[in-house]
Amino acid sequence: MSVDDYAGAGFGAGLTPGSRPALLLVDPAVAYTDPASHLYVGPAAEAAAQGMRSLLAAARAAGIPVVVTRVEIAADGSDAGVFFRKVPGLRAFGPGSPLARYVHGLAPGEGDVEIVKQYPSAYFGTGLAQVLRDRGVDTLLIGGFSTSGCVRASTLDTLQHGFVPLVVTGACGDRDEAVQAANLFDMGQKMAELWDLATARDYLGGLSLRSGGRILPGGAPGSGTSGTSGTWVRATT
């Protein structure tokens, strides 16, 4: 089927982003970038990681909230249920595993927040949706690993919770080019807008010009407030 076939069936309508975005980086872990890891996504890994660094720098410059997720699973997989049984490679995220560490330059910094999860979606079993609402967020820029797994699951739940999902294509990666392309296409038709890095940076750069000030994590623009809620914790790195 072609794009026209999808459009004729009623898919692919455009979503208009809001003016109160946040950035979500999903699982930027060494497990996906280390060739020795079973979860390595291949040659796409470094390009995607560099795209995430670029997006993260633009988000911080714009002063929007930044959220970074990481996976942490018990050694026996007991806290990841059927997901662990289906994907035993999740052992890479066991206690003390070096593969569970953040990729260089993608760890949450001062003023950012992180969320620890055991399942694909950044929302499942966490307080993410409520925290975004409390902060007035209406739009989420999304990057991370892997496109067909945790990025896709988090994108779908972003839509289902009422936020506009913007998947930044140059800031996410998967282990197969065909899988990457198919999942991006499907997300673009059914659940998200697909933006390249240049478009995302331009959008973030325009926020400061329109608002005349920074959007501070944890509060309204210029409020100077910050805080935590639910399962969210302030980064201490």
Side-chain angles (χ1 to χ4, degrees):
M1 296 183 71
S2 68
V3 174
D4 289 340
D5 293 324
Y6 275 78
F11 292 99
L15 296 174
T16 302
S19 60
R20 293 280 301 176
L23 171 64
L24 174 64
L25 292 183
V26 181
D27 305 344
V30 172
Y32 298 106
T33 62
D34 185 346
S37 168
H38 293 301
L39 297 178
Y40 178 52
V41 300
E46 184 49 42
Q50 186 55 41
M52 283 184 249
R53 294 185 192 103
S54 176
L55 186 58
L56 179 59
R60 286 176 174 162
I64 68 170
V66 171
V67 183
V68 188
T69 73
R70 66 182 176 89
V71 180
E72 182 180 286
I73 291 177
D76 62 358
S78 57
D79 54 353
V82 177
F83 185 37
F84 185 82
R85 287 159 49 196
K86 184 65 178 178
V87 186
L90 291 170
R91 290 187 178 89
F93 299 107
S97 171
L99 296 176
R101 297 173 183 168
Y102 289 111
V103 173
H104 176 70
L106 293 175
E110 181 62 31
D112 299 338
V113 292
E114 72 171 358
I115 188 167
V116 178
K117 65 188 185 70
Q118 289 77 40
Y119 288 87
S121 173
Y123 295 84
F124 187 82
T126 76
L128 176 55
Q130 189 58 52
V131 172
L132 293 176
R133 291 190 186 101
D134 289 346
R135 296 182 177 205
V137 169
D138 56 23
T139 302
L140 212 57
L141 294 106
I142 303 169
F145 294 120
S146 64
T147 307
S148 61
C150 295
V151 171
R152 183 186 176 103
S154 298
T155 299
L156 177 58
D157 277 357
T158 295
L159 174 78
Q160 292 179 148
H161 282 289
F163 309 105
V164 176
L166 308 173
V167 175
V168 183
T169 59
C172 56
D174 215 303
R175 58 187 46 80
D176 183 277
E177 290 183 7
V179 171
Q180 170 84 351
N183 276 273
L184 288 175
F185 175 82
D186 202 51
M187 285 191 285
Q189 292 299 314
K190 298 175 182 176
M191 63 188 79
E193 292 298 293
L194 304 182
W195 281 10
D196 59 24
L197 276 168
T199 301
R201 287 194 298 257
D202 287 347
Y203 167 70
L204 290 172
L207 290 176
S208 294
L209 295 176
R210 291 196 299 271
S211 67
R214 293 170 63 82
I215 302 172
L216 300 177
S223 70
T225 62
S226 62
T228 62
S229 177
T231 60
W232 288 49
V233 296
R234 284 292 299 274
T236 57
T237 56

